[in-house]
Structure formats: structure tokens, C-alpha cells
Amino acid sequence: MAEIVSRWSDSRDRIHKKGEYAKAGIPHYLIVDFDEIGAVAVEHYALLGGERTYSRLAITHRDRDPCALNLSDPFTLRVEWRELEVAPRG
């Protein structure tokens, strides 16, 4: 599950939805923050050891990390920051 956070949905996505998805047993949860250029940060959470609350596995930042997302579980997926741009850099 992935949520694109906006200023109107921030607490709903970070608290309420995250808790509901964990209770439903969805194994991975991503929260993606955007600005006018594109994705700024990606937070990766997972249910570990049969728990019903998420543990944060990673957080990546556009200005710090080489790629936005690099998963090997539950499947292999690599997402580059440029793939998450919504407008050209100025």
C-alpha cells in the first residue's frame, strides 16, 4: 500500500490509515511526500514477526539518497527519484 501525502491528508495517512492497514494485515506501507518538483521523501514501513503495528524499515530523501525506493521483499523494485518527478527542475 502506498499513500501520497498532502497537507490535507497528513495526519489521516500517517496515523489513522496506517493503523487501519496494519490491523488489516497489509504487510508493507509506503508514505510518499511530494513538493512542486516531485517526491521528496519515501517512508517504508512493514509488519514484522506477526505484529499488527508497523515498524519503519527505511526513509529516503531526494537530496540525500541515490534512489527513492529499493525493495527486495516482498518483490524486487527499484524506483529512481526522476521517475517520481511531476515538474522539471528549475
Side-chain angles (χ1 to χ4, degrees):
M1 176 60 66
E3 290 289 346
I4 307 302
V5 176
S6 72
R7 63 182 144 195
W8 302 282
S9 69
D10 188 57
S11 65
R12 185 180 68 214
D13 295 336
R14 292 183 189 281
I15 299 167
H16 303 294
K17 284 186 178 180
K18 186 166 81 171
E20 293 299 315
Y21 294 144
K23 281 192 252 178
I26 295 171
H28 292 267
Y29 186 63
L30 304 171
I31 298 176
V32 185
D33 287 300
F34 273 80
D35 66 7
E36 63 280 347
I37 295 171
V40 175
V42 178
E43 298 174 50
H44 179 197
Y45 295 88
L47 297 176
L48 302 176
E51 292 185 22
R52 290 291 186 212
T53 59
Y54 286 113
S55 296
R56 186 166 62 196
L57 298 182
I59 183 167
T60 55
H61 294 275
R62 181 175 66 207
D63 296 334
R64 183 187 71 203
D65 298 296
C67 69
L69 191 60
N70 193 10
L71 298 179
S72 59
D73 179 49
F75 47 81
T76 302
L77 177 65
R78 183 177 171 95
V79 179
E80 302 293 329
W81 292 109
R82 63 179 163 67
E83 296 175 278
L84 299 175
E85 289 183 355
V86 295
R89 291 182 183 234

